[in-house]
Amino acid sequence: MLQHLIRQDADLRMVPTDRAELTTALQGLREELATSPDPDRIRVLTRWIGIAQMSLGNYDEAHTSLRQSLELAITSGNVRAVIATELNFGDAHRYAGDIETAETFYRSALDTARGTCPELLDFALQHTGKHLTERGNLTGARTHLQEALRLRIAKGNTELVESTQAALDRVDTLLGNAAAAAPNKWSRRWTAWLQTRTTVADASQWHAGFPAIREQVRGLAAHQRVQPRHLRDHPFPAEPVAAMAAEAEKALFTDGYLHNGKRNAAVGEAANQFATQVDLAALVARSTGLAVEQPHTGVYIGYTEGQSLDFHLDESGFGDANLIICLQRTRPTQADKASTTVFISTASYLECDLGAGSGVVFDGALTPHGRTPLGVGESITLISLGFRARDQARRTLTNLPPAPA
């Protein structure tokens, strides 16, 4: 209704494109409101009057109009309208500096969207992510915005994807990672492009659609420091694998957080002991030809029935080589096809079926990868480890191909 008269400023807050024009349009809405007998139309008008007043900086007036719109949405049982208006109400309080009240509205909208209106979940995550950014909870903000990005990529709406990418770029900058912001933006744009052209969910279409992305993937592969390799010949010792599996199960349950459709958790003492008992750097070097340091980071990952991870590129800071080890797996014997780790190479899609104690090494920043959906009764627990190249020059990614338009 007024979208063309409102833009986002450098802080990603709504402001007028032209203050005089928005003020004139606002007056028109007020005149219509004074004569409209339709409660549904009144709800829409009061919501947009509230948004306009918020964009103009008139927060008390915005609160009054949005409160009226929200009451009408609740009375009519229009869940979509309730969520949308709660998000606007949260913004109006956040802009006015009332952070606690804003948090109440964002959380209510987010909970409702998750439970009953998934088509608006990306909007709830986006608004909540911006709120957390301003609160200084940058880790929480990134988690919410990354989930919003995944959902918006699936929607295929370029404008929404770019809006979320802008919010993520701001979080990176605030985290003090200004130098990393450019490559991270690059990886997100590549991920968005990949996910609009292929998906882990439909393997039957992979080969038919592959010619359309072959040349672009070839440009990525030219810079890869490590080719995907399934370490079948190097099974990891059963005892430390079992210890990590037990630690991961507890961590994922108590401290796990949702990330890209599955649960992640920080590694603990069992993983640290494993890294001292097994010379992982030597193993990666022997398997790939890339001399690396011992792993500098790691995360537990848990998938359950129905979960998957669509094709993506990792942000470059995770490592120059990545090692995924399967810690535990439940796979019903009657299942037609098990979930696999899958990569896109210059020749085709490569599937890697990991059993407990086996691993795969690859360059996650430059190799599109994901996990196909888990079937009925299936679960898998992994540890993902990041390694830095010993040669500083191998860590610097230059002349990378831009993400296709």
Side-chain angles (χ1 to χ4, degrees):
M1 186 175 284
L2 299 177
Q3 294 96 323
H4 63 294
L5 296 176
I6 297 173
R7 63 178 180 84
Q8 291 191 341
D9 65 9
D11 294 323
L12 304 183
R13 289 187 171 198
M14 289 185 284
V15 294
T17 56
D18 184 292
R19 191 175 185 85
E21 283 188 29
L22 182 58
T23 301
T24 300
L26 173 60
Q27 183 57 36
L29 295 186
R30 284 173 170 157
E31 291 171 1
E32 182 182 350
L33 178 64
T35 60
S36 178
D38 179 14
D40 237 15
R41 185 61 179 168
I42 292 172
R43 174 184 57 75
V44 173
L45 288 169
T46 50
R47 176 173 174 244
W48 275 102
I49 288 171
I51 292 171
Q53 292 282 26
M54 172 174 53
S55 302
L56 291 164
N58 305 323
Y59 302 126
D60 288 342
E61 294 88 338
H63 294 163
T64 299
S65 295
L66 289 169
R67 185 177 298 108
Q68 183 181 356
S69 182
L70 181 58
E71 288 171 354
L72 288 168
I74 292 170
T75 300
S76 67
N78 187 330
V79 177
R80 287 178 58 90
V82 169
I83 294 170
T85 311
E86 283 185 330
L87 293 174
N88 298 140
F89 222 159
D91 287 347
H93 283 285
R94 172 164 60 94
Y95 290 14
D98 186 354
I99 300 301
E100 298 304 323
T101 305
E103 173 112 11
T104 301
F105 282 112
Y106 290 131
R107 290 301 170 190
S108 176
L110 186 56
D111 290 345
T112 305
R114 283 199 190 280
T116 62
C117 201
E119 66 271 22
L120 292 183
L121 180 55
D122 58 313
F123 289 95
L125 289 163
Q126 174 91 351
H127 284 256
T128 305
K130 289 183 180 181
H131 162 68
L132 292 172
T133 300
E134 293 193 10
R135 287 211 73 167
N137 182 357
L138 300 180
T139 301
R142 283 187 104 251
T143 299
H144 284 74
L145 291 169
Q146 285 173 330
E147 187 180 356
L149 182 64
R150 179 177 61 83
L151 293 171
R152 289 183 162 185
I153 287 170
K155 283 184 174 182
N157 187 315
T158 303
E159 185 176 349
L160 293 179
V161 168
E162 289 181 350
S163 174
T164 305
Q165 286 178 331
L168 278 165
D169 291 343
R170 177 168 171 75
V171 171
D172 281 339
T173 300
L174 291 172
L175 280 167
N177 293 338
N184 289 345
K185 183 177 180 180
W186 176 88
S187 66
R188 286 197 291 269
R189 291 194 179 281
W190 262 102
T191 294
W193 184 84
L194 287 162
Q195 292 180 357
T196 56
R197 283 157 179 80
T198 185
T199 175
V200 296
D202 190 2
S204 65
Q205 298 299 313
W206 287 351
H207 300 295
F210 183 70
I213 64 173
R214 178 187 287 119
E215 288 307 313
Q216 285 74 19
V217 173
R218 185 173 287 134
L220 284 176
H223 296 268
Q224 285 172 4
R225 295 153 294 194
V226 170
Q227 300 295 319
R229 181 173 177 191
H230 189 173
L231 303 180
R232 294 185 184 88
D233 330 341
H234 301 281
F236 294 95
E239 188 174 339
V241 167
M244 286 189 291
E247 181 176 77
E249 183 178 9
K250 181 179 179 181
L252 289 164
F253 179 76
T254 59
D255 302 312
Y257 54 92
L258 191 66
H259 179 65
N260 287 348
K262 35 71 177 172
R263 291 188 75 75
N264 284 14
V267 298
E269 185 58 31
N272 294 332
Q273 287 184 3
F274 171 69
T276 61
Q277 294 168 1
V278 179
D279 191 345
L280 296 171
L283 173 62
V284 169
R286 286 197 307 270
S287 303
T288 66
L290 178 69
V292 296
E293 300 171 349
Q294 282 291 94
H296 68 98
T297 188
V299 63
Y300 288 132
I301 303 171
Y303 292 89
T304 56
E305 180 180 318
Q307 293 183 330
S308 63
L309 178 60
D310 221 334
F311 290 113
H312 66 287
L313 295 179
D314 293 338
E315 293 182 353
S316 59
F318 191 78
D320 309 316
N322 304 68
L323 173 62
I324 290 177
I325 303 171
C326 178
L327 303 177
Q328 185 171 270
R329 182 147 197 188
T330 302
R331 181 180 353 189
T333 55
Q334 71 274 18
D336 292 336
K337 183 168 173 37
S339 170
T340 58
T341 302
V342 60
F343 305 93
I344 306 178
S345 75
T346 56
S348 64
Y349 292 79
L350 306 174
E351 292 191 80
C352 178
D353 189 357
L354 294 176
S358 68
V360 59
V361 63
F362 60 101
D363 185 343
L366 293 167
T367 309
H369 60 286
R371 171 160 290 278
T372 60
L374 276 68
V376 176
E378 193 174 4
S379 66
I380 186 167
T381 304
L382 310 166
I383 182 171
S384 179
L385 300 162
F387 299 77
R388 294 190 178 111
R390 289 189 182 278
D391 182 354
Q392 197 72 28
R394 302 298 295 274
R395 300 183 187 181
T396 306
L397 300 175
T398 58
N399 300 317
L400 293 174

